[in-house]
Amino acid sequence: MRPEPLYPLFVPLTNLPGIGPRFAKLFEQLAGPKVLDLCWHLPINVIDRRYSPKIGEAEPGRVATLLVRVCEHRPGASRRQPYKVVCEDETGRVELIFFHARPDYLERILPAGKEVAVSGRFELFNHQAQMTHPDHVVKPDEVGQLLRLEPIYPLTAGLPQKTVAKAIRMALRHVPVLPEWLDPVFVQKRNWPSWSDALLQAHNPANSSDVEPGSCARQRLAYDELLANQLALLIVRKAARRTPGKSLKGDGSLRSSVKEALPFSLTRSQAEAVMEIEQDLAKPSRMLRLLQGDVGSGKTVVALLAMLIAVEAGQQAALMAPTEILARQHYETLRPLTAHLGIEVVLLTGKDKAKDRRQTLEAIASGRAAIAVGTHALFQDGVDFSKLAVAVIDEQHRFGVHQRLMLAGKGKDVDVLVMTATPIPRTLMLTAYGDMDTSRLLEKPAGRKPVDTRTLDIERLSEVVDGLRRAVESGAQAYWVCPLVEESETSDLAAVDQRYETLRKVFGDRVGLVHGRMKSAEKDSIMADFKAGSLAVLVATTVIEVGVDVPNATVMVIEHAERFGLSQLHQMRGRVGRGGDQSVCLLLYQKPLGETAHRRLEIMRETEDGFVISEEDLRLRGAGEVLGTRQSGMPSFRVADLTQHDDLLAIARSDAKLIVENDSWMDSKRGAALRTLLYLFERDAAVRYIRSG
Ligand code: ADP
Ligand code: MG
């Protein structure tokens, strides 16, 4: 149960005075539905309003707070012209300028003859002192509240700064004093305030460096958040380790038979990954392992060998892919590799005909099917495995891993191997999985040549098309990726359609087009034509990111490469360079190139190492964007910024380890405080595991 002192933070925003249903919606978009969410909405900037000169002495261009007397209102001659309010003090006059003014409102807040305090940017325009749209207009006796550093909050359309600031001030009144959950010696050494003081300080910056991630208040809050994250992971993990699993060994017969039949030998990292998996499975506890490797690094064989351990031990295995196409592709890869083993491999997707489906389900339920390949249909109701022991989840480029693992952490004693083609930066790994077991496929299978990556101005399009024509004449196949246009899906399609038409003029019916809005059957059949070689050029939106294997394709053209993120570019480039032939990747860009876009393209030219690229991606974009956090199942952070606070992450990690290793921690005073911390950061799912073990 949530600790009582936290109650006021977990009430809906509408409990705050002045936030009705209309604003509540906007606030929810901006920060979230609860009072706590507003508390986490930290300022991004600060405006110093303490400068309070006389009109005659004010420095132009500076934010100033002026105490003045209103002389007269001068409405504009037409709607277009600004409304002016002339004010003065003993040193001179200043004009307050308003566009699209509401005269009755202005007359009310700026009554002629009265004194007021105004604050805003002071300017000189043709020697005339002016202030356009003052940020604040208050009565003289309220000037004290103005003369300060004003926090500036990120906004959303429809919510003005003042409204947001006021609501946050109100929300902060609900901030309770909570027991200290950090080690007092550590807090003192760092000179950190308590949690509640840190939060209040973060909202009341005393100078511009106080809104930086390195400020004491923000560090403290970030540390709290990272500690909650690491603690939650370790608690869940400890509980998962306690749940017993099977010890799977197998006699190695199927594995060696497959290895002999392979036309290649395993790379070193493949062999290592297989060995690590064998060791995991042999242990009586459950396996939760992540297999990371770039597209084309050969994860499928590793998965097969892992599944065969279960089969040798008389159990079943399942391989789940994120899409139909990929499930089918896995199935088609595995069938020839397993044909001589005398075991049954079945395919289950959401689209099977009723009769086939019945047969497949029967094979799975009776245990006759040793390996089942499929989409998430595999884990739906009505699918009963008689003895499932190993589940392999091919995530490709999605990040639902965390949730899946949590799911697995609850369920049956199935050993789980998750495969991902997205190299995850080390810091993100730690926050998403803690110290989860991982195997990384570092080298490419032998015989692969590096992809020749070039960047070209889109103005040289006709040269590119000429080059492509020559390549196609000599038998090459090419992908041509068109950009995602942000404004709308329609213009997006227009761009692909247009490129398709231009390329048709050159390549005739040897060009195909696929995009996200096609029916999947239609998409599949075009992909199949490309795979079979009857299409030479495949024009596509990013659908090909989720990977179909066409080893013969050696050319990748990416239009408007400057609009894609680094890992997207990397994933797309991974579609070529899979066979033995030299491949090229042409990144077409449109000028002007921003600094980040320029750097991205440069990195693409410099390296093909997915892990290096993922680290650079994190540096250039920040964690939230790399992961597209909210939908992704990766943890999202309120305060912590993984590109800025990674030193704190390391400390939080060892702190959490010490806490969890000490078995009696939950009964201590600090333990109770730490539980409050978990609730505060909404990591309370973990709390359930504390005692259940
Ligand atoms: P991933 O799933 O990691 O993208 P795949 O498992 O589909 O990669 O492997 C890509 C290609 O590389 C496949 O055609 C596969 O047969 C081949 N391959 C896998 N391992 C090796 C190896 N050790 N040596 C040569 N080719 C390999
Ligand atoms: Mg694969």
Side-chain angles (χ1 to χ4, degrees):
M1 264 199 326
R2 183 177 296 139
E4 217 174 310
L6 296 181
Y7 288 1
L9 296 173
F10 283 81
V11 300
L13 281 178
T14 41
N15 282 31
L16 297 175
I19 301 190
R22 190 172 66 90
F23 271 156
K25 234 189 178 134
L26 295 172
F27 272 113
E28 187 167 338
Q29 274 169 26
L30 183 67
K34 306 181 296 300
V35 167
L36 178 62
D37 299 320
L38 260 191
C39 294
W40 290 133
H41 195 67
L42 298 181
I44 39 167
N45 209 340
V46 54
I47 293 185
D48 189 345
R49 302 204 180 275
R50 291 171 302 184
Y51 177 58
S52 181
K54 293 289 169 207
I55 296 172
E57 293 153 3
E59 272 176 55
R62 214 172 147 181
V63 171
T65 301
L66 307 174
L67 205 54
V68 296
R69 204 173 55 80
V70 180
C71 308
E72 67 170 310
H73 282 237
R74 290 188 193 148
S78 75
R79 245 341 249 149
R80 294 253 184 91
Q81 281 175 339
Y83 188 108
K84 297 182 180 174
V85 180
V86 183
C87 304
E88 64 176 11
D89 66 10
E90 62 278 17
T91 65
R93 292 194 150 203
V94 63
E95 288 178 357
L96 310 182
I97 312 284
F98 299 90
F99 294 91
H100 309 289
R102 298 203 325 261
D104 49 338
Y105 171 72
L106 292 177
E107 272 158 27
R108 188 151 41 84
I109 61 166
L110 292 160
K114 290 277 160 46
E115 289 227 306
V116 291
V118 296
S119 187
R121 191 167 300 280
F122 180 88
E123 318 259 24
L124 277 186
F125 187 74
N126 290 339
H127 305 288
Q128 170 63 57
Q130 291 190 340
M131 189 180 281
T132 305
H133 286 271
D135 304 318
H136 298 274
V137 178
V138 300
K139 301 207 174 80
D141 57 339
E142 288 164 4
V143 70
Q145 296 162 28
L146 268 189
L147 293 173
R148 61 174 191 124
L149 290 142
E150 184 189 27
I152 300 299
Y153 291 100
L155 300 176
T156 188
L159 276 182
Q161 187 63 238
K162 265 185 262 183
T163 313
V164 171
K166 194 169 149 220
I168 289 176
R169 273 202 305 280
M170 220 91 76
L172 290 175
R173 287 196 203 142
H174 295 267
V175 171
V177 172
L178 297 173
E180 182 58 82
W181 45 72
L182 298 185
D183 175 11
V185 180
F186 176 58
V187 173
Q188 205 175 31
K189 210 173 77 193
R190 289 261 165 173
N191 213 357
W192 282 349
S194 70
W195 172 76
S196 55
D197 284 346
L199 189 60
L200 297 177
Q201 279 175 30
H203 282 282
N204 292 291
N207 55 58
S208 58
S209 69
D210 281 357
V211 297
E212 303 284 326
S215 71
C216 266
R218 297 232 180 176
Q219 290 224 356
R220 155 87 214 215
L221 297 175
Y223 186 81
D224 286 342
E225 183 164 39
L226 292 168
L227 181 63
N229 162 266
Q230 291 296 300
L231 198 56
L233 283 168
L234 284 180
I235 291 167
V236 174
R237 184 116 178 79
K238 195 171 177 185
R241 283 216 170 100
R242 273 194 304 251
T243 51
K246 305 184 193 60
S247 165
L248 287 176
K249 287 210 180 84
D251 60 4
S253 58
L254 299 177
R255 272 170 285 167
S256 48
S257 164
V258 163
K259 278 193 241 176
E260 265 165 43
L262 285 176
F264 49 76
S265 51
L266 299 186
T267 63
R268 221 174 86 189
S269 9
Q270 280 174 322
E272 253 167 49
V274 171
M275 209 173 66
E276 286 163 343
I277 293 166
E278 284 169 352
Q279 284 166 0
D280 285 352
L281 293 179
K283 286 184 206 151
S285 55
R286 295 184 41 210
M287 171 171 80
L288 276 183
R289 180 172 287 277
L290 184 69
L291 177 63
Q292 280 186 291
D294 263 337
V295 170
S297 60
K299 295 185 289 296
T300 318
V301 180
V302 176
L304 173 61
L305 293 170
M307 293 193 289
L308 288 177
I309 299 172
V311 180
E312 285 168 13
Q315 309 283 311
Q316 289 173 296
L319 170 57
M320 184 175 97
T323 65
E324 303 269 342
I325 302 182
L326 287 170
R328 185 155 296 124
Q329 189 172 295
H330 276 314
Y331 177 67
E332 272 151 23
T333 312
L334 295 188
R335 254 203 332 190
L337 290 176
T338 52
H340 62 292
L341 301 178
I343 62 170
E344 189 170 344
V345 179
V346 295
L347 174 68
L348 186 75
T349 71
K351 290 225 188 86
D352 304 326
K353 292 199 193 74
K355 185 167 149 250
D356 295 346
R357 184 179 165 79
R358 243 190 337 269
Q359 276 173 6
T360 308
L361 289 179
E362 194 273 321
I364 292 174
S366 68
R368 207 174 66 233
I371 296 179
V373 181
T375 56
H376 57 277
L378 276 178
F379 292 109
Q380 275 160 3
D381 287 345
V383 185
D384 292 309
F385 284 87
S386 87
K387 44 193 176 175
L388 180 64
V390 170
V392 180
I393 299 173
D394 185 0
E395 283 285 344
Q396 287 291 333
H397 319 308
R398 303 190 185 187
F399 283 102
V401 191
H402 187 60
Q403 283 162 335
R404 301 261 158 84
L405 289 179
M406 300 286 262
L407 257 178
K410 287 179 201 162
K412 310 160 211 153
D413 54 354
V414 175
D415 291 293
V416 178
L417 177 69
V418 178
M419 304 197 288
T420 171
T422 313
I424 305 173
R426 199 188 50 81
T427 42
L428 296 190
M429 265 312 283
L430 279 178
T431 53
Y433 311 108
D435 58 352
M436 177 180 172
D437 301 316
T438 42
S439 302
R440 289 181 154 195
L441 299 185
L442 296 170
E443 68 271 69
K444 293 249 151 90
R448 298 273 167 81
K449 295 200 181 75
V451 178
D452 178 6
T453 302
R454 302 179 193 187
T455 52
L456 288 164
D457 193 324
I458 186 92
E459 286 187 351
R460 295 169 63 187
L461 185 71
S462 59
E463 280 173 58
V464 173
V465 175
D466 276 349
L468 185 59
R469 190 170 42 80
R470 283 193 298 275
V472 165
E473 274 163 12
S474 60
Q477 285 183 282
Y479 296 99
W480 190 298
V481 179
C482 285
L484 287 166
V485 178
E486 271 170 27
E487 299 89 73
S488 78
E489 248 178 292
T490 355
S491 47
D492 202 14
L493 280 185
V496 204
D497 270 336
Q498 201 186 1
R499 185 56 68 228
Y500 174 60
E501 288 307 325
T502 35
L503 291 174
R504 263 173 76 91
K505 292 200 184 100
V506 184
F507 299 100
D509 56 8
R510 300 210 61 209
V511 199
L513 169 66
V514 286
H515 56 72
R517 283 223 243 151
M518 279 176 164
K519 298 226 169 60
S520 64
E522 200 180 348
K523 225 163 28 187
D524 286 4
S525 99
I526 292 170
M527 294 274 203
D529 287 348
F530 186 62
K531 202 165 177 168
S534 56
L535 292 176
V537 181
L538 185 68
V539 180
T541 53
T542 43
V543 282
I544 54 163
E545 244 189 292
V546 177
V548 172
D549 195 11
V550 184
N552 194 42
T554 51
V555 182
M556 168 64 67
V557 182
I558 303 176
E559 253 188 76
H560 280 295
E562 77 279 3
R563 292 192 196 160
F564 293 103
L566 253 186
S567 34
Q568 268 182 314
L569 290 172
H570 175 65
Q571 298 297 353
M572 292 191 281
R573 178 171 58 186
R575 298 279 116 222
V576 296
R578 320 192 90 194
D581 293 334
Q582 176 67 55
S583 294
V584 244
C585 173
L586 302 179
L587 304 172
L588 306 184
Y589 61 85
Q590 180 151 47
K591 280 193 285 212
L593 271 185
E595 199 183 319
T596 310
H598 183 259
R599 180 74 194 121
R600 277 203 297 260
L601 298 184
E602 208 171 59
I603 294 164
M604 284 298 290
R605 268 203 321 254
E606 281 165 10
T607 182
E608 263 190 86
D609 184 327
F611 292 102
V612 172
I613 289 178
S614 74
E615 299 286 347
E616 290 287 341
D617 200 22
L618 178 64
R619 248 216 301 280
L620 289 177
R621 293 203 292 165
E625 274 184 83
V626 172
L627 301 168
T629 8
R630 271 183 206 284
Q631 328 76 307
S632 66
M634 290 292 270
S636 56
F637 292 100
R638 313 288 204 133
V639 190
D641 173 346
L642 295 178
T643 60
Q644 305 285 336
H645 296 126
D646 55 339
D647 55 328
L648 293 181
L649 175 63
I651 306 171
R653 191 168 169 238
S654 49
D655 200 0
K657 254 198 189 135
L658 280 178
I659 294 167
V660 173
E661 272 164 18
N662 176 356
D663 263 330
S664 62
W665 74 275
M666 59 196 105
D667 298 318
S668 67
K669 209 169 118 200
R670 188 178 177 201
L674 283 164
R675 234 172 301 183
T676 306
L677 172 73
L678 290 172
Y679 277 101
L680 180 64
F681 283 96
E682 299 170 69
R683 301 284 199 271
D684 36 307
V687 177
R688 282 185 294 121
Y689 290 96
I690 295 178
R691 286 192 187 272
S692 67

